[in-house]
Amino acid sequence: MKRIALAILALGTAVLPAAEEDLAAELRKELDAIRNDYEVRIEKLEQRIEELEKDADQPPPARESVPPHEHPPAPRPEAERYVEPARETTTDEQPTSEMRRRRDEALESFRSDTESRDYRRSDAERLLDDRIDEILEGYLDITGYFRSGYGRSDAGGPQRAFGLPGVAKYRLGNEAENYGELAFSKTFFSRDAFRGEGQIDGPVAQMNLRLSIFNPYDNFGSGADTEFAAPEIWASVGNVIPGMPEAKFWAGSRFYRRHDIHINDYYFWDMSGGGAGIEDVPFSAGKLALAWIGDGAESAIYDQIGTPDPLNAAGFSKTNIDLRYYDWPLFGGEGELGLTYSRADSGVDSNGVKAENTDGVALSLVRTHTGFLDENSVHKTSLQIGTGPAKTFTSGFDTFSDPTGTYIRPDPNESWRVRATDHWVVKPHECISFGTALVYQYTDFGSNAPEQHWLSGGVRPIWHLNDWASIAFEGGYDWISNSPNGSHGSLAKFTIAPQVSLGDEFFSRPVIRGFVTYAVWNDGMRGVVGGTDYATETSGWSWGVQMESWW
C-alpha cells in the first residue's frame, strides 16, 4: 500500500504547486529506486524459472553471495516459493513446465506403437502435436486418419478396387472409397497428482473414443450408403499397482496391439474387439499383457460349400484369451510373442440348425527393428501358426463371399493356418524412400473346403523431387491356389502417382496425389475381380485423385 500511495503521489506531481516541487522530486527519486528494485527481482525470477525448465529434477544451485558493499533486497514470499526447493508447495504453485513434463510422460505411457503410422512422425507433425497440446493444455488429445477423393475406370463407371477375393490388395491408387477416423482421448489425474516430486501421485486414467466414416465411390456422397461406426470406446487406469506404475487395467472395445503392413493395408495380427485386460506389466526384459477379448455377429450358416440362405441367420460369438510378452530384445530389435486360445460358438437359425462349436490355439512372433538405416527406417518380420477359430489371428471370424452376400463359415477343429510376413520402410538416399510387403500363407480349411496357398509381394518406391513434390510408384502381385468358390490364379497391379506432401519422407502427410492404375489378372479370376463392371474382363484401368492424412 505504501508503494501504491507513493506512485499516486508521483503521478500527481504535474498539479503540485511550485512550492512542493522539491518534495515531488524526492518522491520521484524513491519511485525510481522501487522500480529498479522490482525489475532486478523479476529478472532473477525469470532466470531461475529457465533453470528449472532445463532440468526440473536437478537441485537448484546455491545462491550467489552478495559482496559486502552491496545490500540485497528484502525477500518476498512470492520469490521464495520458486527459489527455495525445501518449501512445501501446492499443486497451483508447481512450475508449469514441470507439471507439463510429468503429464506428458503419463500420456506417453498410454500410447501404442505397433502400427505402421505410429513408428515415426515428421517434424511438421510433431510441431502440430505440440501446438495442439499448447492450446488444449493437455485437456483433450485429438488424433485422426482421413482419405478422400474420386476416381473413374475404363469400364465407364466409378473407380473399382482391383484385388483377389479374400486377401489384401495393394492400396496406392486402388482405394475406391472415402474413409476417416477421428479419435478423442481424455486423461484424468487425481487431485494431488502433482504435489510430490518425481512420479505422479495417485491413479491416472484415460478414456478413448474413436468414430469412423465409410463412403464408397459407387454411391459417392450419398448419406444412404455412408456408414458411421464407433470402433473404439474404452478406458484404461494405471499407476495403481505398487512398484509397477506403468501397469494398466482396461475395459471396453478397442484396437488391441495391431500389427500391419502399410502398402497393402494388411493387419496380419489384429485382436481388436470388446473385452478387458491388463497390460504393460514389467517382466524380465520386457512387458506382459493378458486380455479377454471377443466378437459377435449374425450370419447364415455356411458349414458346407454351397449357398446359404441369406434371410435365415444364426448368431455367432467368439471368445479369445490373449497372452502377450513384448518389448524384449530380439536380434537387434524388439520382440512380441503371443499365445491365444479361441472358442467359437453358434446359435440356431429359424430352422433349428446349429453350426459346430469349435476351439483352437495360435502362436505369433513379431520382431520390429526401427531406426537402423535412418531415423524413419522400420523392418518388421512375423511368423504365426494357429488352429481352429484361432487361425484367423483376429478376434473375429473368417468370412466367404458369393453372389448372395458374405457369410461366416465356422472353422472346424482340424483346420489350421501358418503365415509369414516381412516388410520394410527405409530411405536409403535423400531422394528415395520405399516400402515393401511380402506375405506367404497356407491354410487347411478342414474337411469342408480345399486347402489354399497365398503368396503376395509388392514395393512402393517414392522419388522425392524436393521437400514437397514426389512421384510414387507401386507394383504388387498376389497369387492364390484356391478360393472358396473354386477360382484360383493371380493378379498384378501397377500405379504411378505424382504427389504433393508436407515433407520428403515415406510417411509425410498430409499428401495430395493424382494416380493412374492398371491391373491384370488371369482367366481363373475372371468374374471375381472388379465387380460386375469387369465380370467378363481380365484387365482394367482406373484414374483419379486422393488426399490422405493422419496426425
Side-chain angles (χ1 to χ4, degrees):
M1 293 299 294
K2 176 182 177 181
R3 294 182 179 182
I4 295 174
L6 291 173
I8 294 173
L9 289 173
L11 292 174
T13 56
V15 296
L16 288 177
E20 297 179 349
E21 287 183 0
D22 292 340
L23 177 60
E26 291 179 4
L27 293 176
R28 196 176 292 112
K29 183 178 180 180
E30 185 174 351
L31 179 61
D32 290 339
I34 293 172
R35 184 185 297 111
N36 292 336
D37 178 67
Y38 174 76
E39 291 175 352
V40 169
R41 293 173 183 274
I42 290 298
E43 182 178 357
K44 289 184 177 181
L45 284 175
E46 290 176 346
Q47 291 175 354
R48 184 66 188 123
I49 291 173
E50 288 178 1
E51 292 174 0
L52 287 172
E53 290 176 342
K54 288 180 180 178
D55 191 355
D57 293 331
Q58 296 295 326
R63 294 186 185 180
E64 297 181 358
S65 59
V66 181
H69 62 277
E70 293 184 10
H71 298 282
R76 294 178 59 192
E78 294 81 1
E80 288 298 312
R81 288 173 182 160
Y82 291 97
V83 302
E84 182 57 60
R87 185 184 179 94
E88 183 179 356
T89 60
T90 65
T91 302
D92 294 336
E93 294 169 346
Q94 289 282 355
T96 303
S97 59
E98 167 67 3
M99 293 176 62
R100 183 180 290 116
R101 181 189 66 80
R102 291 158 67 186
R103 185 200 68 214
D104 289 346
E105 289 179 353
L107 294 177
E108 188 66 26
S109 70
F110 283 92
R111 295 192 175 101
S112 175
D113 58 356
T114 59
E115 298 185 37
S116 294
R117 61 178 183 258
D118 293 331
Y119 297 143
R120 288 289 185 268
R121 293 190 174 190
S122 68
D123 291 339
E125 289 175 306
R126 294 188 185 102
L127 290 173
L128 178 61
D129 288 346
D130 292 342
R131 180 57 177 159
I132 292 174
D133 184 66
E134 180 183 347
I135 295 172
L136 297 180
E137 279 296 328
Y139 182 77
L140 191 67
D141 187 18
I142 303 175
T143 59
Y145 170 84
F146 288 91
R147 64 173 182 261
S148 179
Y150 188 62
R152 298 294 303 275
S153 70
D154 65 331
Q159 179 187 355
R160 300 292 183 182
F162 300 119
L164 297 185
V167 299
K169 60 179 174 60
Y170 288 88
R171 64 190 298 184
L172 183 66
N174 200 29
E175 295 171 309
E177 70 280 326
N178 297 318
Y179 179 77
E181 296 175 356
L182 194 60
F184 306 89
S185 296
K186 169 62 179 170
T187 304
F188 303 85
F189 300 92
S190 62
R191 181 175 181 179
D192 298 331
F194 300 99
R195 284 188 181 273
E197 297 182 0
Q199 295 285 350
I200 291 177
D201 295 332
V204 180
Q206 187 178 88
M207 190 275 173
N208 301 272
L209 169 66
R210 185 182 302 267
L211 307 176
S212 67
I213 180 174
F214 175 87
N215 173 235
Y217 288 171
D218 59 6
N219 201 1
F220 189 81
S222 170
D225 204 18
T226 300
E227 299 178 6
F228 296 91
E232 285 197 289
I233 308 175
W234 63 286
S236 180
V237 181
N239 206 27
V240 293
I241 301 178
M244 292 189 294
E246 59 269 59
K248 306 171 191 68
F249 296 94
W250 69 271
S253 178
R254 64 176 289 191
F255 293 161
Y256 187 69
R257 299 198 61 81
R258 306 190 302 176
H259 292 270
D260 69 312
I261 302 175
H262 177 75
I263 67 172
N264 60 353
D265 204 20
Y266 180 44
Y267 286 85
F268 57 88
W269 193 7
D270 183 7
M271 297 302 295
S272 301
I278 184 172
E279 60 186 341
D280 294 343
V281 177
F283 179 77
S284 185
K287 301 175 183 178
L288 286 174
L290 179 64
W292 177 72
I293 196 166
D295 192 12
E298 283 194 349
S299 172
I301 294 178
Y302 199 173
D303 192 22
Q304 300 294 328
I305 295 298
T307 301
D309 179 1
L311 301 179
N312 192 13
F316 290 86
S317 64
K318 183 177 176 182
T319 299
N320 308 275
I321 305 297
D322 186 277
L323 176 64
R324 304 280 181 105
Y325 179 49
Y326 51 96
D327 290 352
W328 46 278
L330 179 63
F331 301 124
E334 292 184 341
E336 181 161 353
L337 181 66
L339 177 65
T340 304
Y341 168 78
S342 301
R343 177 174 176 82
D345 296 291
S346 166
V348 296
D349 63 16
S350 61
N351 294 324
V353 178
K354 176 181 173 65
E356 179 184 2
N357 295 333
T358 61
D359 61 2
V361 295
L363 185 67
S364 299
L365 175 64
V366 175
R367 171 189 174 268
T368 304
H369 191 191
T370 62
F372 56 90
L373 183 61
D374 63 278
E375 181 184 4
N376 298 318
S377 56
V378 178
H379 179 210
K380 180 170 287 194
T381 306
S382 74
L383 182 63
Q384 299 170 281
I385 184 170
T387 65
K391 71 178 178 58
T392 63
F393 310 114
T394 70
S395 64
F397 307 88
D398 266 340
T399 59
F400 298 93
S401 299
D402 65 19
T404 65
T406 299
Y407 307 97
I408 294 171
R409 186 183 60 78
D411 298 290
N413 290 329
E414 68 271 16
S415 65
W416 64 282
R417 172 176 291 155
V418 62
R419 176 190 296 156
T421 71
D422 184 85
H423 80 275
W424 300 71
V425 175
V426 293
K427 189 178 183 182
H429 188 271
E430 62 180 7
C431 295
I432 297 291
S433 64
F434 65 87
T436 69
L438 184 63
V439 180
Y440 172 73
Q441 177 178 285
Y442 169 81
T443 305
D444 183 342
F445 290 99
S447 59
N448 53 1
E451 64 183 20
Q452 182 189 80
H453 297 268
W454 171 37
L455 178 64
S456 180
V459 61
R460 184 193 298 183
I462 302 178
W463 179 25
H464 301 280
L465 304 176
N466 52 40
D467 290 343
W468 54 269
S470 62
I471 298 176
F473 173 82
E474 185 176 271
Y477 175 82
D478 287 286
W479 169 79
I480 55 175
S481 61
N482 289 289
S483 66
N485 60 10
S487 58
H488 64 279
S490 61
L491 179 147
K493 169 259 176 191
F494 308 92
T495 298
I496 186 168
Q499 303 183 137
V500 175
S501 63
L502 201 66
D504 60 352
E505 301 290 339
F506 186 85
F507 284 130
S508 291
R509 299 295 187 276
V511 61
I512 296 175
R513 58 173 67 105
F515 62 84
V516 176
T517 296
Y518 174 70
V520 58
W521 52 97
N522 67 349
D523 286 337
M525 289 295 164
R526 189 192 300 269
V528 297
V529 176
T532 57
D533 289 348
Y534 292 91
T536 61
E537 305 295 331
T538 57
S539 66
W541 290 86
S542 65
W543 56 90
V545 294
Q546 185 192 55
M547 65 74 62
E548 184 182 36
S549 181
W550 62 71
W551 68 92

